[in-house]
Amino acid sequence: MTQHIKLFTPGPGDVDDDVLDALSLPVMRHYGPDWMPVHVEMDELLHRLFQTKNDMYVVPGPASAVLDMAIGSVVAPGKKIIIGTNGFFGDRLVEISQAHRLEIIPFKAAWGKPLDPNLLESLIKENPDTVAFAMVHHETSTTVLNPLKDLMAVARKAGLVTIVDTVSSLAGVDIPVDDWGIDICVCGANKCIEAAPGIGFISVSPHAWTVIDSHDAPGCWYLDLKLWRHYIQEWGAWHPSPVTLPTNVILAARTAIKKIFERGVEAHYARYATASRSMRKGLTNLGFEMLVPEAYASPIATAVKARPEFTLDELTKWLMDEHQIAIGGGLGELTGKVIRVGHLGKAAEREYMLQFLFSVEEFLRMKKIPVQPGGGVAGMFE
């Protein structure tokens, strides 16, 4: 049997046993009378979770594929798109847009800093022919939580189609899609929803459909939103998708989303906030410095700065070898400069966090760094 590695990565995370059990159920067809009740229930659950009345689709593949679908479907080649970039995944939106031959207007902030709504307003005024604005809500590479509501208000006022990567934020913090005017909202199953990788979710507003329908389909088949709408409209009574769906992965996601509502959405959000606050306090007690100030720090993952006494590779390897604990490393320009500790799934539980902090404390003692026994957990749950 494969050894269980405790995941403190920014994704995926350890998930509950009943979610894993759904993956081992007999395989269902992705169409027909047995599947349609699952499809309908999943659609209702996602609409509740996204807080939207917009069209909703479940797409097999990683969330990056769904972002590719969103950008390619909405913005015609040669048209302008403003893209928020303050980390690795904002840069990925730029790469996706380049692949679709779009004219990109960079909207930048330093890595570790949030995007500025005032700068967005200026960029829109300078580029009045811009079609869309795309951004990452939780920039996982830095653990910055961008001011989504304020940014959406600026873009919405200008009439832009808004495309938002909420891959690692939706279900971790409150994101009322309709109230905030998010036209295209993309999320994955394996972050705050606490399910298995393999599917992404996308909501599409009437405003987005108007723009999508104003130009030809993108230069692809599978990642064309019009194709997915066609199957819902024409085949939706028995075969609501153009391709084979990973039915067991969807069943696992359904189980996970139902657990969120059983727990209570606000309680689910509070669980992340408590875990983040406790972990930041515990690591600070042990002498670590956080990359991102509390004012715009994500409750979903925490970026921790390197220390002069040891390399972060040493810490990462020791935690895996000695305690089977996996953490995230730095990406891009933060490689070797930070570790990223996720609070997803079981990593938000008290027992998991205590084991993590005691293990880090043990590592520090092994490196001959003075540490008060139990100092890492002192007052962390207050």
Side-chain angles (χ1 to χ4, degrees), residues 20 52 67 116 121 131 143 162 177 182 186 200 217 257 259 274 287-288 303 361 372 376:
L20 294 176
T52 186
L67 289 165
D116 181 357
E121 190 169 17
V131 173
T143 69
T162 54
V177 168
I182 304 173
V186 174
I257 296 171
K259 287 171 71 72
T274 299
F288 289 89
E361 183 179 315
Q372 181 73 24

Side-chain angles (χ1 to χ4, degrees), residues 200-280:
F201 312 116
I202 181 169
S203 65
V204 187
S205 75
H207 181 210
W209 280 123
T210 299
V211 176
I212 292 167
D213 289 333
S214 70
H215 60 81
D216 294 336
C220 63
W221 182 84
Y222 175 50
L223 297 181
D224 179 5
L225 274 169
K226 289 181 183 178
L227 173 74
W228 287 75
R229 181 180 60 181
H230 169 78
Y231 269 78
I232 288 290
Q233 291 175 342
E234 302 298 327
W235 296 50
W238 73 283
H239 195 308
S241 67
V243 297
T244 301
L245 298 178
T247 51
N248 288 66
V249 176
I250 294 173
L251 292 171
R254 181 184 65 166
T255 299
I257 296 171
K258 289 169 75 171
K259 287 171 71 72
I260 291 173
F261 288 118
E262 288 166 3
R263 177 185 293 133
V265 175
E266 294 301 325
H268 188 72
Y269 298 154
R271 179 167 166 262
Y272 280 99
T274 299
S276 170
R277 184 171 58 250
S278 299
M279 185 62 75
R280 287 169 70 91

Side-chain angles (χ1 to χ4, degrees), residues 274-335:
T274 299
S276 170
R277 184 171 58 250
S278 299
M279 185 62 75
R280 287 169 70 91
K281 183 168 186 177
L283 289 168
T284 299
N285 288 347
L286 293 174
F288 289 89
E289 182 182 353
M290 307 302 110
L291 176 70
V292 178
E294 194 70 38
Y296 44 87
S298 159
I300 297 145
T302 298
V304 185
K305 291 184 178 181
R307 291 173 57 167
E309 304 98 326
F310 52 86
T311 69
L312 294 178
D313 284 346
E314 287 182 85
L315 173 60
T316 300
K317 184 177 186 304
W318 190 88
L319 287 171
M320 176 63 77
D321 291 347
E322 298 298 324
H323 293 282
Q324 293 74 57
I325 289 173
I327 57 177
L331 298 174
E333 65 183 60
L334 292 178
T335 300

Side-chain angles (χ1 to χ4, degrees), residues 7 104 115 131 136 251 265 295:
L7 297 179
I104 298 161
L115 298 170
V131 173
V136 177
L251 292 171
V265 175

Side-chain angles (χ1 to χ4, degrees), residues 110-130:
W111 284 41
K113 303 295 183 183
L115 298 170
D116 181 357
N118 293 322
L119 177 56
L120 175 61
E121 190 169 17
S122 297
L123 286 171
I124 292 172
K125 288 178 181 177
E126 293 167 7
N127 298 275
D129 54 343
T130 299

Side-chain angles (χ1 to χ4, degrees), residues 338-351:
V338 299
I339 55 169
R340 295 174 300 138
V341 181
H343 314 304
L344 302 170
K346 292 182 179 180
E349 295 177 359
R350 183 186 182 108
E351 180 184 349

